[in-house]
């Protein structure tokens, strides 16, 4: 039997053979499993993208807050 172990980042790894198991999964279950593995990879990619965007926006907010503080201090 083959399965996909989880990687350290939470995504599924490559197929590996389970020692001592020779029977495969029914086709329907294998298709569902492959779909879940694909969706897991897509979600991981989206999570990375959102994390990068969040970091960029946080940097912009910090820069704008500093600019506002500088304008407040410069106007007094």
């Amino acid at each position: 039997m083959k399965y996909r172990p989880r990687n350290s980042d939470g995504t599924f790894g490559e197929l590996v053979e389970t020692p001592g198991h020779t029977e495969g999964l029914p086709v329907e279950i294998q298709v569902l499993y492959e779909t879940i593995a694909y969706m897991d990879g897509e979600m991981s990619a989206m999570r990375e993208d959102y994390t990068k965007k969040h970091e960029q926006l946080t940097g912009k907010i910090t820069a704008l807050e500093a600019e506002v503080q500088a304008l407040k201090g410069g106007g007094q």
Side-chain angles (χ1 to χ4, degrees):
M1 177 183 218
K2 294 182 180 180
Y3 73 101
R4 290 183 188 264
R6 288 262 181 189
N7 294 324
S8 59
D9 64 356
T11 60
F12 286 108
E14 295 299 316
L15 281 174
V16 294
E17 188 72 35
T18 304
H21 294 275
T22 55
E23 295 179 16
L25 293 171
V27 175
E28 296 84 0
I29 293 175
Q30 185 64 33
V31 169
L32 288 171
Y33 185 74
E34 292 295 326
T35 302
I36 291 168
Y38 171 78
M39 291 172 65
D40 183 65
E42 291 293 310
M43 291 296 292
S44 293
M46 286 173 44
R47 190 177 313 114
E48 288 176 20
D49 186 48
Y50 285 132
T51 299
K52 287 177 187 175
K53 287 180 181 178
H54 180 265
E55 290 171 354
Q56 290 171 350
L57 289 174
T58 301
K60 288 180 182 178
I61 289 169
T62 302
L64 287 171
E65 286 173 342
E67 187 176 334
V68 167
Q69 290 302 319
L71 290 172
K72 283 182 180 179
Q76 293 179 353

